[in-house]
Amino acid sequence: MKLDELKPLEALLTADFRQIEPRLQALDKHLILRTYLDGYTLGDIDTKIWLALRGNRAAVSFIKRGSLANLARWFNYIEENHPEIQAEVKAKDAAAKAKVAAASKAGASYALALQNADQGVVTRFLPEPSGYLHIGHAKAALLSDYFAHQAYQGQLRLRLDDTNPSKEKQEYQDAIIEDLALMGIKPDTVTYTSDYFDYLYDMCVRMIKEGHAYADDTDQETMRDQRWKGVASARRDRSIEENLRIFTEEMKNGTEEGLKNCIRAKLSVDNPNKALRDPVIYRCNIETPHHRTGTKWKMYPMYDFACPVVDSHEGVTHALRSTEYTDRNPQYQWFIDTLKLRQVYMWDFARMNFIRTFLSKRKLAKLVDTGKVWGWDDPRMPTIRGVRRRGMTIPALRDFILKQGPSRNVVTMDWTNFWASNKKEIDPIAPRHTAITKKDAVKVMVKGADAPAEPIKQEKPKHPKNKEVGTKQVTFANELIMDQADAKSFKDGEEITIMGWGNGFVRNIDSSAEVIPTFEIDLNLAGDVKSTEKKVTWLASKGQTLVPAELWDFDYLITKDVLQEEDNMEDFLNPVTETMEEAWCDEASATLKKDDIIQLERRGYYRVDKGLNDWKEGEEKKLVLFCIPTGKTGSK
C-alpha cells in the first residue's frame, strides 16, 4: 500500500466489522515483510492506525484471534514495545469513562467511545415531518442530544427530512420542533433536506456520469419482483447519455416519459442483503407541491441517498440510527465511498418497543384519519403529545429513555416501568383532592355531639408530606356523600375512619340492600384511626359548591402484545379503549387548570385536560380528568 492509501485508513477503521474487514486484509498483506506500516520506527501513520483499531472492539477481537498473522504480529508488537502509546490510550479511556459515568450509574450502559471523538462530535436528529414524534423518535433525539451535549462538548443538528411532499405538512414540521423544545432538546442548528435539493441533484448527475446510477422505467410491481429474485433490470445497461437525458430533461420537468422513470443506484443485482440491490435514489412527484419549495422540483431524492450525502456535506461526524437501519449501513457507506465524501461514523441502537403498541407512522396516521382516536395527541397514542396528555412528565420521560441507553439489544417492554418512573416524579408534588362518582353517591347524615350544626371550613394541606404544595379549604358538614362501594362494605355499628376528619360509627344501614340510598354516622372524633379497618373518602354536600367532573380512563389500542408484519391491524383493534364516569369533586378543585396533575384520594393520579376556565362561553363547565397509569398494571 502506498502512503496516500494508508493516510485515510484511520478514519475508515472505526466502522463496523463488515465494512473494515477488506481493509484489515489489505493491511495484513502490506505487513508481510514490514515491522512498521511506514518507515522503520513508530511514526504518525502507525500510531493513528493502531489507535483507530484499538478503539474498535470488533477489530481488536478479530486481530487477537490471529487469522491475519502479519496484522496480529504488528498490533501486538506496537502494544508491547511502545509504552508511550499506552499512555494516550489510557487517557482517552479515562476521559470517556468519566463522561458517561453519570448515565451508566443511572441504569443504562453508556460505555461506548465514539470514534475519533477527540476531533469533534456532531450528531443529528433526522425526523420526517410526516407525523407527530412518537416515543421511538424521542429515544433517537435524546441519545443524539446526550452524546452531542453531555458526553462530548459537541453539536446537535436537527434536520427535517422533507423529501416526500405527499406525506409532509407544515403542521408536522412545527410540532416536531415544539416537541423537541418541550423535551429540553436544543439543537445547535435547524436545517431541512430541501435546503440541499440543488446539491443532491448535482450529486445524482455525477453518479450517472460516473456510471453509478441509471434511469429505470420498469413498473413498480415488476421492479419489486426482480429485486426480490435478484434479476437485473432490462434498463441497467442504458447508456450514460440516455440516463442523463432522462434525469436532467424528462424527470426534472415532470414529462410523461419522466414520470415513468426513477433513478436507481448501481450497487448490486443479487446481493444477499436486499438493501443493496440497486435501490431507487430519485423519483418524480408532481401531484403535491412541496410545503417549502412549492412546484420548483418535479422529482425528489430518496432517504437512502439523501441521508449519507447530506450527513457528510453538513459536517455530521456520528450518525446514531435505530437497528432497523442496520441492513442499510453498507448502502450508506457505499454512497460515501462511491462519491468520495467525508466519512461519517454510524452507531446503531435498539428502538423502544412496547407491548400492544405500534410505532409505525403509517398505522398511527390511519387511526387518526379513520377517527379511531381523537388525534395525534390522543392520550392512547404513543406520540410525545399523547403520553404527555395522558400525564407523563417531561423529566420522567427523559429519565426513562436515557436509562435505556444506546444498547443494540431489541426488547419489547411492558408499559409498567415507563409509568412507574412517572409516579416517582409526580407523587411528591401532586395535590390531593377527592371525587365521588355521581351514580354511586350515597347520602350520609352525620350525628353525635361532634357533628357540626352548620358547615364549617378549615385550611388543610394539599399534600400530607409536602407543605410546599400549599393548602386548601375543606368543608365539614352534617350532610355528606360517600361511594356506594364503600357503603355496601359497612356493617351496622362498625367503626370507620372518615379520612381527614376522624372516626364514626355506622348506624341505620341495610347492608343486604342491592343499593344503599342513605345511612347515618355517629361521629366519634376521640376514636383511634389506627384501630379501624376501613378508611373512606367523602365530600360535604352542604356548605360548598361541588365541582362536576368527568373521570376518564384508557386502555390499549390493540389486543395483541406484538403485531407481526403480516397481521392486519384492524383485526386486533381493541373495541373499547376508553371509559368515562361523571363525578363530583371538592370545591377546591375549581381552581385547577389544564395540565395540572393531582391525586384523587383512593382513585389514583389524574391530569387535568380541561379546567372550569377552559370552556367557551355557553358551554357546560366541568373538570375533565385523565387517569395516569402508575405502573401497577402497565396500562397504556
Side-chain angles (χ1 to χ4, degrees), residues 431-489:
R432 272 47 172 176
H433 289 274
T434 302
I436 304 291
T437 55
K438 290 183 179 181
K439 66 181 178 63
D440 292 326
V442 179
K443 184 177 180 181
V444 182
M445 303 303 295
V446 181
K447 308 288 186 179
D450 295 328
E454 295 296 330
I456 57 173
K457 294 181 183 290
Q458 294 182 5
E459 208 72 21
K460 295 285 186 179
K462 289 182 178 179
H463 194 291
K465 298 178 181 179
N466 187 352
K467 293 180 180 179
E468 293 182 7
V469 177
T471 61
K472 63 181 178 181
Q473 283 199 331
V474 177
T475 303
F476 299 85
N478 58 11
E479 291 184 16
L480 315 177
I481 55 173
M482 291 185 181
D483 274 314
Q484 180 74 216
D486 286 334
K488 291 186 75 172
S489 73

Side-chain angles (χ1 to χ4, degrees), residues 423-435:
K423 181 184 176 183
K424 293 176 184 177
E425 192 76 27
I426 63 178
D427 181 69
I429 57 173
R432 272 47 172 176
H433 289 274
T434 302

Side-chain angles (χ1 to χ4, degrees), residues 128-147:
E128 180 188 13
S130 59
Y132 285 70
L133 292 184
H134 56 58
I135 52 178
H137 296 125
K139 180 174 182 179
L142 284 167
L143 286 179
S144 295
D145 178 60
Y146 172 83
F147 282 108

Side-chain angles (χ1 to χ4, degrees), residues 111-180:
L112 63 102
L114 296 185
Q115 306 97 315
N116 284 355
D118 56 333
Q119 298 178 20
V121 171
V122 179
T123 63
R124 49 77 164 154
F125 177 51
L126 184 60
E128 180 188 13
S130 59
Y132 285 70
L133 292 184
H134 56 58
I135 52 178
H137 296 125
K139 180 174 182 179
L142 284 167
L143 286 179
S144 295
D145 178 60
Y146 172 83
F147 282 108
H149 291 148
Q150 290 181 250
Y152 304 93
Q153 300 301 310
Q155 290 190 347
L156 168 67
R157 304 182 70 95
L158 168 63
R159 185 168 82 244
L160 283 301
D161 188 48
D162 54 345
T163 58
N164 187 352
S166 298
K167 293 183 178 180
E168 294 147 7
K169 296 179 182 177
Q170 185 75 33
E171 169 197 351
Y172 299 145
Q173 177 181 299
D174 295 343
I176 288 169
I177 294 172
E178 290 172 14
D179 287 349
L180 291 176

